[in-house]
Amino acid sequence: MTYDLVIIGSGPAGLAAAIYAARAELQFVVLEKAGVSGGQVLLTYEINNYPGFKNISGFDLATALREHAESLGSNFVSCEVNSITRERDKTYHISCDNGTEYVSKAVIACTGADHKRLGIPGEEELAGAGVSYCATCDGAFFKKKTVAVIGGGDTAFEDALYLSRLCEKVYIIHRRSLFRAAGSLVSLARRAQNIEFLTDTVPTEICETDGSVTSLKVKNVNSGAESSIDLSGVFIAIGMRPNSELFSQITECNKEGFIITSSDCSTQMPGLYAAGDVRTKDLRQIVTAVADGAVAVSSLVKYLSD
Ligand code: NAP
């Protein structure tokens, strides 16, 4: 069969797209790699800026979105997409690792983004043994210990605040003296008794003893002075890398790899849309991902009727 739409990815953008596609009575399927919905939201302990919810856990929000999409009859399939091509008849052919091929008139890329790596010695070798990219997943392993969070954005500050409730001491290590994070998060972190800021500082090596992290070497970017901090965990929160490889063959991405889109979420390839963190945009938040899902479906409904 030829679908009207295949949605690839089921984070907030994909789930919102599914809700809108169901309401538009499109023939569609949602392909999700991990077999679970929510994407990065699932890794978020507490969300305080999703309108209508003063405070909701990432898990609860992801579950609510999924249940909403399912209640409208959305079809979710667990599979990893290997390739996507656009054929002469203008349909998209989406091949999955389980051998299934989906044919569709339109596609929405909702594949999100992954954690960026620092690329310093010890990072790769000690991942899972004191190096983590998810404070809410791994924070409990560092109860009453000293840890560092690398980065100066919202994620770094949310992670540091979360960890400060569990750990004895948390360092926020940032390469500049100005932070990208929201002022409210920075104020909260400044008020926390056990958070110490190391600005204009970059990590240079994560060191271990018997396979577990024991210290972090850092360097002041102004003076060049090097020092070492004794700690048990390093949480890296330096931003995201878009999961756009599948689409970079068929449409334009910017130099960071984000899929170039118009404000209606259309890409340069007719019938291909991108929603959420994988696309070029000013503000990457749950609320904007959800909005993208709705906008993309509204745009492609017009495309399909043309
Ligand atoms: P981000 O805003 O891109 O911040 C990344 C931080 O890491 C920046 O401070 C950056 O420094 C630093 N950095 C990047 N590469 C580095 C390197 N190689 N070495 C050292 N430091 C490095 O990423 P994010 O915090 O993950 O947030 C991503 C998006 O999600 C943002 O739009 C954010 O607002 C949003 N978000 C929202 C919420 C929320 O609303 N609750 C929560 C989390 C994230 P520079 O500042 O010097 O570039």
Side-chain angles (χ1 to χ4, degrees):
M1 77 177 275
T2 300
Y3 285 93
D4 294 321
L5 169 64
V6 169
I7 297 168
I8 305 178
S10 66
L15 292 168
I19 291 166
Y20 276 74
R23 287 171 57 83
E25 299 187 335
L26 300 182
Q27 289 287 329
F28 74 99
V29 62
V30 185
L31 306 180
E32 52 182 11
K33 184 163 123 182
V36 286
S37 297
Q40 290 170 60
V41 173
L42 275 184
L43 307 179
T44 307
Y45 176 67
E46 203 174 81
I47 294 160
N48 303 310
N49 61 356
Y50 192 75
F53 298 91
K54 282 186 220 146
N55 188 305
I56 185 167
S57 76
F59 179 82
D60 286 349
L61 184 58
T63 304
L65 286 166
R66 167 83 181 221
E67 283 175 1
H68 189 173
E70 275 178 338
S71 72
L72 295 168
S74 305
N75 178 18
F76 291 85
V77 174
S78 176
C79 77
E80 181 162 357
V81 175
N82 287 335
S83 72
I84 168 163
T85 55
R86 189 171 190 254
E87 303 298 324
R88 281 170 179 273
D89 64 358
K90 298 182 182 165
T91 58
Y92 288 92
H93 288 223
I94 299 127
S95 303
C96 293
D97 58 350
N98 60 10
T100 314
E101 183 176 87
Y102 294 88
V103 179
S104 181
K105 295 176 201 161
V107 171
I108 310 180
C110 304
T111 43
D114 272 337
H115 301 285
K116 275 207 239 165
R117 307 284 194 260
L118 280 168
I120 59 171
E123 180 182 17
E124 204 181 315
E125 304 86 301
L126 293 165
V131 173
S132 171
Y133 299 85
C134 176
T136 51
C137 316
D138 300 329
F141 298 119
F142 300 91
K143 272 187 189 152
K144 303 208 167 37
K145 293 187 174 165
T146 297
V147 298
V149 177
I150 318 296
D154 286 335
T155 305
F157 275 79
E158 285 191 347
D159 285 359
L161 287 165
Y162 174 74
L163 291 165
S164 72
R165 294 176 209 144
L166 300 169
C167 301
E168 182 162 304
K169 175 148 191 171
V170 179
Y171 290 93
I172 292 181
I173 299 176
H174 180 42
R175 63 185 178 184
R176 295 189 295 144
S177 51
L178 287 176
F179 299 108
R180 276 176 202 275
S184 56
L185 288 172
V186 178
S187 301
L188 277 175
R190 288 204 189 283
R191 284 204 294 272
Q193 300 289 319
N194 60 345
I195 296 182
E196 183 174 332
F197 290 73
L198 287 180
T199 53
D200 297 313
T201 300
V202 290
T204 53
E205 184 177 351
I206 304 168
C207 306
E208 52 91 25
T209 302
D210 297 332
S212 294
V213 170
T214 47
S215 64
L216 177 69
K217 287 187 184 164
V218 296
K219 183 170 146 185
N220 184 289
V221 292
N222 299 326
S223 65
E226 293 184 280
S227 54
S228 176
I229 304 166
D230 289 338
L231 44 64
S232 309
V234 179
F235 288 83
I236 299 166
I238 59 166
M240 308 300 290
R241 197 174 34 203
N243 294 319
S244 58
E245 295 77 13
L246 272 176
F247 309 97
S248 60
Q249 307 295 321
I250 52 172
T251 192
E252 195 93 13
C253 296
N254 71 8
K255 68 177 181 348
E256 284 98 29
F258 293 97
I259 299 174
I260 295 174
T261 51
S262 303
S263 57
D264 67 352
C265 292
S266 62
T267 68
Q268 286 161 2
M269 184 61 81
L272 176 64
Y273 297 78
D277 284 4
V278 75
R279 82 175 186 95
T280 49
K281 62 197 295 191
D282 290 332
L283 183 63
R284 291 193 172 81
Q285 304 267 295
I286 302 166
V287 71
T288 62
V290 163
D292 281 357
V295 170
V297 171
S298 160
S299 313
L300 74 85
V301 164
K302 287 185 207 125
Y303 166 79
L304 292 174
S305 61
D306 285 347

